[in-house]
Amino acid sequence: MNTIKKTLLLSLIAVFGLITIPNLASAQTSEMSKEEKKEIKSAEKLVKAKIDLGKKLEKLQKEEAKLVKTQTKFEKDNAAGKLSPNDVEKITSKIAKQKKSIEGLKKDIEKLEKYINENEDGI
């Protein structure tokens, strides 16, 4: 009777071990895959930030060129006396909006550059 209990106990331990060991291994694998997924997501975010930075730099360049063109045309027409007071007000308002847009782009570019610099070292 004693040997039957030992055999039963050993078989239960073996079955329990067979059930538990793969679960532990899969838990470690899932943790590793979570870390890998996290690294992949951060790498994707970094690539997206670099693409956004490039687009914003191009847009900034275009907006600055547009602002210079608007200002030179305004100065030329205003010096020639071709503009009414309403026109002057409209154009100065347009120039102010363009300057505000450029400032917003510069802030966005600074944020993206900071994010890229901070996260590029980790990868």
Side-chain angles (χ1 to χ4, degrees):
M1 191 77 148
N2 203 6
T3 56
I4 296 174
K5 287 182 182 179
K6 285 182 183 179
T7 309
L8 184 60
L9 184 61
L10 288 175
S11 62
L12 285 175
I13 291 172
V15 170
F16 182 72
L18 290 173
I19 293 172
T20 309
I21 291 172
N23 288 338
L24 292 175
S26 66
Q28 289 176 346
T29 305
S30 66
E31 284 182 24
M32 291 176 63
S33 65
K34 286 179 184 177
E35 290 175 11
E36 290 173 354
K37 287 178 185 178
K38 193 174 184 180
E39 288 178 17
I40 290 170
K41 280 190 176 188
S42 63
E44 289 174 352
K45 281 185 178 181
L46 186 62
V47 169
K48 186 180 177 195
K50 287 181 179 181
I51 292 170
D52 288 346
L53 178 64
K55 288 179 182 179
K56 294 214 185 247
L57 287 171
E58 287 179 23
K59 189 173 180 178
L60 176 65
Q61 190 177 22
K62 288 178 184 178
E63 290 292 323
E64 287 177 337
K66 191 189 301 185
L67 176 64
V68 169
K69 182 179 176 182
T70 304
Q71 284 179 330
T72 54
K73 185 175 183 333
F74 169 70
E75 290 169 2
K76 180 181 172 185
D77 289 346
N78 196 27
K82 295 181 180 179
L83 301 175
S84 68
N86 288 342
D87 291 337
V88 171
E89 186 178 329
K90 286 179 186 178
I91 294 172
T92 53
S93 174
K94 182 179 179 180
I95 290 172
K97 285 181 182 178
Q98 287 176 336
K99 286 181 180 179
K100 188 174 181 179
S101 172
I102 288 172
E103 289 301 314
L105 282 171
K106 286 181 180 179
K107 286 181 182 178
D108 290 345
I109 289 170
E110 286 178 21
K111 287 179 184 177
L112 285 171
E113 287 175 341
K114 182 180 177 182
Y115 176 80
I116 290 170
N117 289 335
E118 288 175 351
N119 293 304
E120 200 166 34
D121 296 334
I123 294 177

